[in-house]
Amino acid sequence: MDTLDTLRTRKKAATRQSLHEAALRLAMERGLDGVTVEDIAGEVGVSRRTFSNYFANKEDAILHADRERTRELMSLVAGRPEAEGPWQALRAASGELYRAQAVPDRSWVAQLRLLRRHPSLLARQAGDQIALERDLAAVLLARGHGLDEELARLMTATFLAAVRTASVRWLEGAGEQPLPELVDRLLGRVSFE
């Protein structure tokens, strides 16, 4: 990749991140229904058309960080040592992901709180979770270990439920226990091997 492509890629990533942050901030200030795509684009200083180059709608812009974490998680699972069993790989990858961001950033916490208040965002997140379950199962199947598709899907659904439960408990407890510890403890209570 040459320097121009690298600069272009960085600029696109920065614009996408700025749109996400503006969408989240405005939705927190005004409520989801009080924010339009035009408001978000204007906040960042881009056109509505430019916004549409990055996101289909305001909900997608709000969920951007969650989707980025999903991509990172999949990459971490795929990169785990081959000898590691599937549940171990999921647990270790989540540990890596949460250690990299040991204290969840404010935008993530705000997103979780926003999601809990808006059914339309919850529905989109549920759709994302179904896709993640399918995609993570495919990563586990590619790693081998004698998994069949049914067990791989069950394993990823259980994994995602444990992570979601830890996140909700963490929010409800006002962060009394570090999220990485809570996630790992809940994942440790489940065994497939």
Side-chain angles (χ1 to χ4, degrees):
M1 186 180 282
D2 66 10
T3 305
L4 186 58
D5 285 340
T6 302
L7 290 172
R8 210 173 288 136
T9 300
R10 282 190 208 145
K11 183 176 180 191
K12 285 181 178 183
T15 300
R16 182 175 283 112
Q17 184 64 26
S18 294
L19 288 166
H20 159 68
E21 290 170 4
L24 190 55
R25 184 177 57 256
L26 291 172
M28 291 303 299
E29 290 171 6
R30 303 178 191 172
L32 184 61
D33 295 334
V35 178
T36 65
V37 167
E38 289 77 10
D39 295 334
I40 298 165
E43 185 80 9
V44 176
V46 299
S47 68
R48 187 194 194 312
R49 182 176 175 167
T50 297
F51 176 95
S52 297
N53 289 336
Y54 293 94
F55 300 109
N57 51 47
K58 63 187 175 184
E59 290 85 359
D60 284 345
I62 289 169
L63 292 171
H64 169 68
D66 206 31
R67 291 171 176 168
E68 286 299 304
R69 277 188 293 280
T70 294
R71 282 190 264 290
E72 187 176 349
L73 175 63
M74 291 193 37
S75 175
L76 289 169
V77 172
R80 297 298 308 161
E82 286 182 34
E84 210 168 55
W87 188 255
Q88 293 169 311
L90 287 168
R91 190 172 175 190
S94 73
E96 277 185 69
L97 181 67
Y98 286 109
R99 273 194 307 275
Q101 298 175 346
V103 177
D105 62 19
R106 288 177 169 219
S107 66
W108 189 68
V109 172
Q111 179 182 356
L112 286 175
R113 288 187 176 138
L114 184 64
L115 287 171
R116 293 183 67 183
R117 290 197 312 256
H118 294 284
S120 66
L121 286 174
L122 282 170
R124 283 196 185 273
Q125 188 181 42
D128 286 353
Q129 290 289 310
I130 291 168
L132 175 56
E133 178 186 312
R134 181 192 60 238
D135 295 345
L136 261 178
V139 170
L140 292 181
L141 286 168
R143 291 173 49 81
H145 295 275
L147 281 183
D148 59 35
E149 185 175 350
E150 187 175 272
L151 182 57
R153 290 290 293 265
L154 177 61
M155 194 175 290
T156 57
T158 303
F159 168 77
L160 294 171
V163 170
R164 187 173 46 257
T165 301
S167 298
V168 169
R169 288 186 50 85
W170 181 81
L171 273 176
E172 290 171 347
E176 292 169 3
Q177 181 178 9
L179 181 59
E181 290 176 20
L182 188 53
V183 169
D184 191 59
R185 189 175 80 237
L186 288 182
L187 291 173
R189 298 191 77 173
V190 178
S191 177
F192 280 92
E193 301 163 317

